[in-house]
Amino acid sequence: MANLRISLAVVVLLTVPYRPGYALWCNCTTAQCQKTGSQCETDGACMASTFFNNGQEQHIRVCITRDSLVPPGQPFYCLSAEGYLNTHCCYTDYCNSMDLKIPSVTPPPELRGGYGPGGTWGLVELVAAILGPLLLLCVLLLVSVLMYHYHQRAYNHRQRLEVEDPSCEHLYLAKDRSLQDLIYNLSTSGSGSGLPLFVQRTVARTIVLQEIIGKGRFGEVWRGRWRGGDVAVKIFSSREERSWFREAEIYQTIMLRHENILGFIAADNKDNGTWTQLWLVSDYHEYGSLFDYLNRYSVTTEGMIKLTLSAANGLAHLHMEILGTQGKPGIAHRDLKSKNILVKKNCTCAIADLGLAVRHDSATDTIDIAPNQRVGTKRYMAPEVLDETINMKHFESFKCADIYALGLVYWEIARRCNTGGGVHEEYQLPYYDLVPSDPAIDEMRKVVCDQNQRPNIPNWWQSYEALRVMGKIMRECWYANGAARLTALRIKKTLSQLSIDEDIKI
Ligand SMILES: *[C@@H]1O[C@H](CO)[C@@H](O)[C@H](O)[C@H]1NC(C)=O
């Protein structure tokens, strides 16, 4: 917990234009502020936003504490959420009393976000942006002194937040709004990474757990109910705080949201004094994992193509770097397997379990390696991971390792395809015939690296176009040389073409 607070403190100190410790007054519209003359005091920022209540334009003005201004550059609080327009953070006294005009034309996403209404930089922000780097130097000098100071204050603020927040939460969580309303248009409304943190907390704390649906090394997965809808809740044991933090962090990467990546809803850490409950809330998919699905059902050619194409789609989005202020870094999954892919109601895939993922910072060409020491699943480890020849400094090598694992998942799916007049094989894990269950690294390495064996691709697949193409893709995912493997984008294109040839509507 102490580590988390300190790292948050560092993030905040480096994010907010530095102001030497004085309090800031803001206009405040919440009911609680009526006692204090519709104003509030904060060490962070003033925020103003516009929303519509029964067609009536209304304004909300609130204080944001400094420790809420995460992540760097684009604090959640300062981005317009679904239903909110013109969200604006500023850092001088009563600066949020400004007139909130609705822009008549919605600016393109790359101009939005950041500071100021609709992305145009106000004078104050401009000055802050220019002086920022200079002040940063001062900050670094003062950091050691302030750290202790801040630590104390952040803790006090968090304690107070528990009591204060409900008034604000009402604004976001009006009774008639469903979770879908709240979240699903975020990617188009410009923030693209999720709900504001205090909304996440409120959502998480009003979920009613129903039944346990899975267990893993990190803890348990539950089905929960929130306002009449199902959600999945991954509950981490207190020992796994780092995993929880890392996974929440990855899921909140700007612009990660995609139909073939599990939809993240909320992260919450509830400190009840003696122990911490760590929750990660996401969409719920009743079919469960691809592993469960393939065990239960065989698939048609169409089903196989839908599953494989959507998985490639999700992985391509994960891997892809998008440039620009609303861009996303390239992300490698590092633990891709059929148990970590979910099957949605429309029989397409959603990639889940991003706890081991790594992000690429292309500006410095560095990787933000997960601080936890977990490694992927041995059965799905690429040869270069098994024999430890993988170049950990090179981001591309992690993507290539993902592709190898994707090939194994494809093999699991293709075996269950009943193309040849009902002929299909029983479900098996990759290498089921070559290694025992729960194989050791050495056992895997002997088979995959030393003997260079791969799952068997039956000859009869050659007689069916779809299976022939699948077999070819798998072989090209399994090259011993990672760099020679296909890319997710290439696989996606090949499968799109196949779906057109097979006349399948996706
Ligand atoms: C903001 O607060 C100041 C000081 O209390 C007040 O004079 C001003 O009218 C307020 N503005 C709005 C829009 O509420």
Side-chain angles (χ1 to χ4, degrees):
M1 222 30 232
N3 281 344
L4 186 62
R5 289 210 182 97
I6 289 169
S7 56
L8 268 177
V10 173
V11 166
V12 170
L13 280 169
L14 297 177
T15 311
V16 182
Y18 175 67
R19 288 172 300 100
Y22 60 76
L24 174 66
W25 284 94
C26 308
N27 292 63
C28 175
T29 54
T30 65
Q32 285 184 354
C33 294
Q34 272 166 11
K35 291 182 220 114
T36 55
S38 296
Q39 54 185 356
C40 52
E41 196 182 4
T42 180
D43 58 346
C46 301
M47 183 185 92
S49 191
T50 309
F51 67 103
F52 285 89
N53 188 5
N54 296 328
Q56 281 254 299
E57 183 186 332
Q58 297 195 354
H59 297 159
I60 149 186
R61 302 175 205 275
V62 288
C63 283
I64 307 292
T65 57
R66 187 192 276 220
D67 61 333
S68 304
L69 294 172
V70 281
Q74 287 189 312
F76 292 127
Y77 278 97
C78 305
L79 296 165
S80 293
E82 158 79 335
Y84 288 76
L85 292 166
N86 253 346
T87 302
H88 182 101
C89 284
C90 53
Y91 307 92
T92 53
D93 279 342
Y94 303 111
C95 58
N96 66 337
S97 80
M98 88 289 266
D99 231 341
L100 291 157
K101 286 255 155 39
I102 304 292
S104 46
V105 184
T106 317
E110 59 271 25
L111 292 179
R112 272 209 257 162
Y115 300 106
T120 47
W121 287 37
L123 187 63
V124 176
E125 287 83 353
L126 210 58
V127 169
I130 294 163
L131 292 184
L134 286 175
L135 291 170
L136 207 69
L137 278 175
C138 308
V139 171
L140 287 173
L141 290 172
L142 287 165
V143 131
S144 53
V145 181
L146 285 178
M147 189 80 87
Y148 176 70
H149 203 70
Y150 179 81
H151 184 128
Q152 296 293 87
R153 275 200 302 163
Y155 186 70
N156 293 342
H157 273 295
R158 195 153 309 144
Q159 299 296 86
R160 269 201 283 141
L161 214 62
E162 314 264 282
V163 207
E164 279 175 10
D165 262 4
S167 62
C168 290
E169 284 158 6
H170 279 316
L171 295 168
Y172 280 85
L173 298 174
K175 282 274 177 308
D176 54 336
R177 304 182 78 192
S178 76
L179 207 50
Q180 315 298 318
D181 287 349
L182 275 165
I183 296 162
Y184 274 93
N185 292 323
L186 277 174
S187 46
T188 49
S189 75
S191 77
S193 55
L195 294 169
L197 292 178
F198 67 103
V199 183
Q200 290 188 22
R201 174 175 296 179
T202 309
V203 170
R205 293 184 183 183
T206 45
I207 288 170
V208 183
L209 295 181
Q210 305 285 320
E211 57 173 336
I212 193 161
I213 52 176
K215 266 194 166 89
R217 54 194 148 189
F218 51 81
E220 299 168 341
V221 184
W222 287 71
R223 179 174 67 82
R225 299 285 289 175
W226 194 77
R227 295 216 179 147
D230 284 318
V231 292
V233 182
K234 192 164 166 181
I235 304 180
F236 292 72
S237 63
S238 328
R239 273 177 296 116
E240 294 286 345
E241 176 161 352
R242 278 167 180 281
S243 309
W244 166 82
F245 186 76
R246 176 64 179 170
E247 191 161 1
E249 183 179 52
I250 294 277
Y251 269 118
Q252 295 183 81
T253 306
I254 294 279
M255 295 306 282
L256 178 61
R257 204 159 270 283
H258 185 273
E259 58 178 331
N260 300 120
I261 293 174
L262 179 62
F264 168 81
I265 296 170
D268 185 32
N269 58 335
K270 196 166 166 180
D271 210 334
N272 71 2
T274 49
W275 58 294
T276 316
Q277 230 186 343
L278 305 164
W279 282 23
L280 210 72
V281 185
S282 70
D283 290 346
Y284 172 77
H285 299 294
E286 63 182 52
Y287 280 139
S289 71
L290 182 61
F291 173 81
D292 295 334
Y293 185 83
L294 293 174
N295 266 289
R296 217 170 306 145
Y297 311 106
S298 64
V299 295
T300 59
T301 306
E302 178 175 347
M304 172 177 74
I305 295 175
K306 273 172 92 164
L307 287 171
T308 51
L309 176 55
S310 58
N313 224 339
L315 191 63
H317 181 72
L318 201 63
H319 281 180
M320 179 168 47
E321 178 183 359
I322 302 173
L323 296 169
T325 47
Q326 284 292 317
K328 80 172 254 309
I331 300 174
H333 189 289
R334 298 210 301 161
D335 195 16
L336 202 64
K337 55 176 174 174
S338 51
K339 284 179 181 161
N340 284 349
I341 297 176
L342 300 174
V343 179
K344 307 210 296 189
K345 202 139 202 170
N346 61 1
C347 293
T348 59
C349 291
I351 296 176
D353 283 279
L354 299 184
L356 272 177
V358 287
R359 291 185 290 198
H360 183 221
D361 180 351
S362 61
T364 56
D365 194 22
T366 51
I367 297 164
D368 72 329
I369 288 274
N372 54 23
Q373 289 304 307
R374 272 173 63 195
V375 289
T377 306
K378 299 180 188 83
R379 188 179 292 273
Y380 288 83
M381 280 180 184
E384 65 272 19
V385 178
L386 288 168
D387 66 11
E388 292 177 288
T389 56
I390 186 169
N391 179 354
M392 304 271 271
K393 293 213 173 67
H394 192 45
F395 179 68
E396 291 297 313
S397 36
F398 293 112
K399 289 177 25 179
C400 299
D402 278 353
I403 295 294
Y404 168 85
L406 183 71
L408 296 180
V409 171
Y410 279 8
W411 177 85
E412 295 171 66
I413 300 173
R415 273 174 61 92
R416 300 291 283 153
C417 178
N418 53 24
T419 296
V423 186
H424 60 269
E425 288 160 289
E426 67 198 330
Y427 174 79
Q428 289 293 358
L429 282 168
Y431 300 110
Y432 72 101
D433 48 351
L434 301 171
V435 298
S437 65
D438 197 15
I441 295 250
D442 279 342
E443 290 168 314
M444 288 306 304
R445 192 176 49 215
K446 201 147 79 202
V447 169
V448 177
C449 303
D450 303 350
Q451 301 166 4
N452 202 20
Q453 299 213 59
R454 297 291 185 270
N456 177 43
I457 294 176
N459 279 332
W460 65 266
W461 284 11
Q462 297 300 323
S463 338
Y464 299 93
E465 179 60 11
L467 283 172
R468 189 188 64 76
V469 173
M470 289 303 305
K472 184 162 181 293
I473 292 176
M474 285 170 214
R475 279 198 198 91
E476 293 178 31
C477 288
W478 292 338
Y479 291 134
N481 172 9
R485 291 173 203 150
L486 298 171
T487 63
L489 212 56
R490 168 68 18 227
I491 297 172
K492 182 177 146 181
K493 284 179 183 157
T494 307
L495 288 172
S496 296
Q497 189 55 50
L498 179 63
S499 74
I500 294 167
D501 296 346
E502 298 273 321
D503 205 14
I504 288 164
K505 190 116 183 65
I506 302 286

